[in-house]
Amino acid sequence: MKYTLLLFVWVVCSTTLYGQGLQAGLRTGSSMWNYINPKLHTTSAGTTGDMQRFVWDKEVFGRYETKKKWAFEISINNNSYRDETSNGGLNYSYNEFTMRSTHSNYDVVGAVQYKLTCPGHNKCPILNKLKSYIGIDGGIVMNTAKYTFTDNTGKVYISDVNSTNIIAGIHHYMTYSLSKKISATSLSAFNVKLD
């Protein structure tokens, strides 16, 4: 059953609709969010406020490749993660707490890409099926977070926080055509949040 599900996910994620340079499809994979909080780097308690979270991305995309070397893409992505922290009673008892949080990120990103080729690319049957693009992207990321605080008396406090930020970055897109309708795709990206 596990291998059947893995095969199904691979086919869905690598199937793309083609039509005169237009493509649309689904992508999935993992990414790492690295949060850096410069305001907390110099606290006397020694905490930095930094954290890393690995998340599973689910993405829908549309792509247009020109007859020249340019490509344009728009995508909508979603990922989420959960957290739980507790001070474990290290401070005074009235400061003892447990915090649980659930975060969901929704990205809408547009990209402009340029095709990379080497001399003799079209003459080699294996390289002819490979396309490689490098590009820049930018978009909006919306974060919804729900925090649940429980203090040492058992009292529960719930807080919802929503934020919207602009992101920008660079990425590398590579695709290998297995047939006219199926291709294996790889996308590596590095984005930063602009404040």
Side-chain angles (χ1 to χ4, degrees), residues 17-109:
L17 304 174
Y18 289 91
Q20 297 185 7
L22 290 174
Q23 304 169 17
L26 305 170
R27 287 194 289 237
T28 186
S30 65
S31 65
M32 181 183 70
W33 286 76
N34 188 18
Y35 297 94
I36 300 173
N37 192 338
K39 295 177 184 175
L40 298 178
H41 275 272
T42 57
T43 61
S44 58
T47 182
T48 63
D50 298 351
M51 62 179 176
Q52 291 181 342
R53 297 291 177 265
F54 286 95
V55 295
W56 192 258
D57 291 313
K58 286 105 21 209
E59 187 173 86
V60 176
F61 74 96
R63 178 179 178 80
Y64 175 70
E65 292 180 6
T66 66
K67 292 182 180 179
K68 301 211 176 187
K69 294 190 170 193
W70 293 96
F72 305 92
E73 186 172 302
I74 189 163
S75 61
I76 300 171
N77 182 20
N78 169 253
N79 59 60
S80 59
Y81 65 90
R82 293 178 185 208
D83 242 347
E84 182 171 337
T85 58
S86 174
N87 71 355
L90 295 176
N91 296 329
Y92 299 107
S93 62
Y94 63 86
N95 286 334
E96 192 172 322
F97 69 91
T98 300
M99 183 186 75
R100 291 180 182 87
S101 61
T102 304
H103 301 262
S104 292
N105 295 307
Y106 301 91
D107 316 356
V108 179
V109 176

Side-chain angles (χ1 to χ4, degrees), residues 140-195:
I140 297 172
V141 60
M142 294 160 280
N143 177 273
T144 60
K146 181 176 183 176
Y147 295 92
T148 305
F149 297 91
T150 307
D151 64 14
N152 62 339
T153 65
K155 190 169 182 180
V156 176
Y157 304 88
I158 297 175
S159 175
D160 292 322
V161 178
N162 299 317
S163 64
T164 303
N165 298 100
I166 295 172
I167 57 172
I170 60 172
H171 68 268
H172 180 254
Y173 174 87
M174 189 165 54
T175 182
Y176 188 82
S177 299
L178 301 171
S179 71
K180 287 185 177 180
K181 293 187 177 181
I182 298 177
S183 61
T185 336
S186 165
L187 177 65
S188 309
F190 176 79
N191 288 309
V192 293
K193 181 177 78 167
L194 305 174
D195 287 330

